[in-house]
C-alpha cells in the first residue's frame, strides 16, 4: 500500500510503502555510484539485501508508486538498509564428552592459549549470542564463547579458557546453548607434569626421575640434575646412583644383584611395600605407559647420541611431561649403557617370572617392551 505522495524531491520525506499491516519502508531514494549524490528521494525506494550476484553486483528490493520487486545492480550504489531479526539458533545435540582441548592447565598458573572445541549436531544455521561460564570443582577459570552462528548440521563451538585454576583436578563448565546442555570437564594438572594415559584420562606424574639430584631444576630441560638414579624391577632400594656435576657414575656397580625380584614385588593397580615411589605415587602400569604413547604428541628434546656425559637429550610427551634419555644399567654388573641415546622406564607390570614391561624410546620412536628384572632402569612415578 502506498503511503503519502510519490514525487522526486530532496525534501520529500512523506512517501513510503506499507507491506502488510506491520511494515512500512520510507521512499528514501538512492545514492549514485559515481559520487554518492542523492537520487529520487520520495519517488523510488531501494533496500539492500545480503544476497550477492555476479562480481560487483548484488540483489536489492526496489519499489515506486506503481510496483515492487527485486533487481540486481552495482554494489557501489548507496541504498537504505532495514534489518531483519536473525534466526534463533538451535542444535540437536551438544557433545561435551567428545570435546578436544588445546593447551594445558596447571594449578596456580594463569591459562594461556587454552581452548576447548565442543562438537554439536543438528544446527539450524541460526544466530547465538555466545556465553560465559565459570568453572566449578576446580574454580578460578572461565569458558567464553563469542557470539556467532551455528552451522547447518554438524559443527564445533570454540570456548576460550582463561583465568588461574585454584587447584588441581577437574574444572567443570555447565554449557547451555542452542537449546541443549552438557558439562565440559577439563583436567587441571596439580604437579605441572601431566600426560594423557588414555583418550579421556589425564594423570599427574612427578616432575623428576626418581633419585634426581635437583628437584628445583627445570623439569623440561634435560640436564645431569634431573637424570635420576636407576632401579631394578621390584626392588625398593636404588640400584645405581645418578650422575653428579663432575662424575657421570657410569662404571660397574659392586655387588650388583643378578637375581630377579619375585612376582608380586610390584603390582598393577596397588602400591606394594617394595614400590620406591613416595606417598601418593607409584610405578606406572604398562597400560598407562601405552596410553602415554598413544595419546600424547612425542617431541624430541636436545641431541641424541650415546655418551656417559650426554645429559641433554629427552622426549616430551604432550605439553607437560618430559623424560630424559638416561640410558640404563646392564643386568650383569650395573655398568651404564646408552645415556643420551636411549631411555628405559620401568612399569609395574610383570612379564613371566623374570621379566617385566618398560617404556623405551630413542630419537626415532617409542614403545613398551619386556626386559630382565635385573637391569637397572629409570623410574618416573605416577599419581595413585
Amino acid at each position: 500500500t502506498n503511503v503519502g505522495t510519490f514525487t522526486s524531491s530532496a525534501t520529500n520525506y512523506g512517501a513510503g510503502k506499507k507491506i502488510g499491516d506491520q511494515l512500512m519502508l520510507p521512499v528514501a531514494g538512492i545514492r549514485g555510484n559515481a559520487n554518492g549524490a542523492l537520487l529520487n528521494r520520495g519517488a523510488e525506494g531501494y533496500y539492500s539485501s545480503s544476497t550477492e550476484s555476479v562480481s560487483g553486483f548484488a540483489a536489492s528490493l526496489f519499489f515506486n508508486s506503481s510496483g515492487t520487486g527485486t533487481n540486481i545492480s552495482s554494489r557501489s550504489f548507496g541504498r537504505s538498509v532495514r534489518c531483519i531479526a536473525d534466526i534463533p539458533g538451535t542444535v540437536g545435540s551438544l557433545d561435551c564428552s567428545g570435546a578436544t582441548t588445546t593447551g594445558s592447565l596447571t594449578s596456580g598458573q594463569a591459562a594461556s592459549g587454552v581452548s576447548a572445541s565442543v562438537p554439536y549436531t543438528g544446527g539450524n544455521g541460526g544466530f547465538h549470542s555466545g556465553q560465559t561460564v565459570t568453572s566449578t570443582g576446580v574454580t578460578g577459570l572461565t569458558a567464553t564463547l563469542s557470539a556467532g552462528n551455528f552451522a547447518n548440521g554438524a559443527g564445533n563451538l570454540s570456548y576460550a579458557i582463561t583465568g588461574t585454576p585454584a587447584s588441581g583436578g577437574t574444572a567443570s563448565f555447565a554449557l547451555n546453548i542452542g537449546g541443549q546442555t552438557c558439562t565440559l570437564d577439563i583436567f587441571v594438572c596439580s604437579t605441572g607434569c601431566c600426560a594423557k594415559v588414555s583418550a579421556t584420562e589425564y594423570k599427574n606424574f612427578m616432575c623428576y626421575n626418581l633419585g634426581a639430584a635437583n628437584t628445583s631444576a627445570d623439569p623440561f630441560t634435560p640436564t645431569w640434575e634431573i637424570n635420576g638414579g636407576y632401579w631394578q624391577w621390584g626392588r625398593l632400594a636404588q640400584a645405581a646412583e645418578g650422575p653428579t656435576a663432575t662424575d657421570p657414575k657410569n662404571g660397574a656397580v659392586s655387588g650388583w644383584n643378578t637375581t630377579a625380584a619375585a612376582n608380586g614385588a610390584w603390582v598393577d593397580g596397588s602400591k606394594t611395600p617394595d614400590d620406591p615411589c613416595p606417598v601418593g605415587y607409584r610405578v606406572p602400569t604398562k597400560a598407562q605407559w601405552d596410553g602415554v604413547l598413544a595419546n600424547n604428541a612425542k617431541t624430541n628434546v636436545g641431541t641424541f647420541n650415546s655418551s656417559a656425559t650426554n645429559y641433554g637429550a629427552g622426549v616430551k610427551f604432550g605439553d607437560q611431561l618430559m623424560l630424559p634419555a638416561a640410558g640404563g644399567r646392564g643386568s650383569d654388573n650395573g655398568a651404564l649403557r646408552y645415556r643420551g641415546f636411549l631411555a628405559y622406564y620401568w612399569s609395574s607390570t610383570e612379564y613371566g617370572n623374570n621379566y617385566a614391561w618398560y617404556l623405551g624410546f630413542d630419537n626415532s620412536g617409542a614403545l613398551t617392551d619386556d626386559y630382565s628384572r635385573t637391569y637397572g632402569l629409570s623410574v618416573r612415578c605416577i599419581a595413585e
Side-chain angles (χ1 to χ4, degrees):
T1 306
N2 292 342
V3 178
T5 301
F6 280 66
T7 57
S8 180
S9 167
T11 58
N12 181 10
Y13 310 114
K17 183 78 74 170
K18 193 173 182 184
I19 301 173
D21 294 326
Q22 295 180 291
L23 179 66
M24 197 284 294
L25 302 178
V27 186
I30 192 171
R31 294 281 182 164
N33 65 345
N35 59 8
L38 180 67
L39 303 171
N40 299 326
R41 179 179 285 155
E44 296 178 336
Y46 302 83
Y47 282 77
S48 289
S49 82
S50 59
T51 305
E52 299 174 357
S53 181
V54 296
S55 178
F57 288 76
S60 63
L61 170 70
F62 166 78
F63 57 82
N64 56 23
S65 60
S66 59
T68 305
T70 56
N71 63 16
I72 304 296
S73 57
S74 172
R75 301 176 190 175
S76 57
F77 282 100
R79 303 175 184 83
S80 301
V81 171
R82 178 62 66 90
C83 301
I84 191 171
D86 210 344
I87 302 168
T90 60
V91 296
S93 69
L94 193 62
D95 183 16
C96 284
S97 63
T100 56
T101 302
T102 300
S104 55
L105 296 167
T106 299
S107 175
Q109 297 182 15
S112 177
V114 181
S115 63
S117 180
V118 181
Y120 63 86
T121 59
N124 69 341
F127 178 80
H128 65 80
S129 57
Q131 64 174 159
T132 299
V133 184
T134 56
S135 61
T136 59
V138 173
T139 59
L141 295 168
T142 301
T144 304
L145 173 69
S146 298
N149 284 76
F150 294 114
N152 284 303
N156 291 276
L157 300 175
S158 181
Y159 287 81
I161 310 300
T162 56
T164 301
S167 62
T170 300
S172 297
F173 302 88
L175 307 187
N176 183 351
I177 193 161
Q180 301 295 327
T181 62
C182 67
T183 300
L184 172 66
D185 291 331
I186 300 180
F187 179 77
V188 180
C189 187
S190 298
T191 62
C193 298
C194 304
K196 274 189 167 184
V197 295
S198 73
T200 58
E201 182 185 13
Y202 280 88
K203 290 288 282 185
N204 289 292
F205 286 79
M206 290 181 65
C207 283
Y208 304 92
N209 284 358
L210 208 59
N214 181 8
T215 55
S216 296
D218 180 359
F220 300 101
T221 301
T223 64
W224 71 267
E225 295 175 291
I226 66 171
N227 183 97
Y230 303 85
W231 270 255
Q232 292 180 308
W233 189 92
R235 303 200 186 279
L236 177 65
Q238 181 177 251
E241 295 178 320
T244 69
T246 58
D247 185 355
K249 302 281 187 177
N250 60 319
V253 177
S254 177
W256 187 261
N257 193 338
T258 57
T259 301
N263 287 351
W266 293 351
V267 176
D268 286 359
S270 63
K271 188 180 172 93
T272 69
D274 289 316
D275 188 304
C277 294
V279 174
Y281 292 86
R282 64 187 309 279
V283 179
T285 67
K286 175 186 183 293
Q288 287 170 329
W289 279 136
D290 285 332
V292 168
L293 297 184
N295 297 286
N296 300 273
K298 175 180 176 289
T299 306
N300 292 340
V301 179
T303 301
F304 281 70
N305 63 272
S306 182
S307 168
T309 56
N310 180 12
Y311 310 116
V315 163
K316 194 173 183 184
F317 293 95
D319 295 325
Q320 294 177 290
L321 182 66
M322 197 285 295
L323 303 179
R329 296 284 183 161
S331 62
D332 52 351
N333 63 6
L336 180 71
R337 301 179 177 184
Y338 305 118
R339 178 178 284 152
F341 181 64
L342 295 175
Y344 308 88
Y345 286 80
W346 278 126
S347 83
S348 59
T349 306
E350 300 170 357
Y351 182 80
N353 291 322
N354 297 307
Y355 290 78
W357 292 94
Y358 71 94
L359 165 70
F361 63 79
D362 59 15
N363 61 339
S364 61
L367 51 71
T368 54
D369 203 349
D370 60 276
Y371 230 4
S372 170
R373 299 174 189 179
T374 55
Y375 280 96
L377 309 186
S378 300
V379 171
R380 178 61 67 93
C381 302
I382 192 170
E384 290 193 273

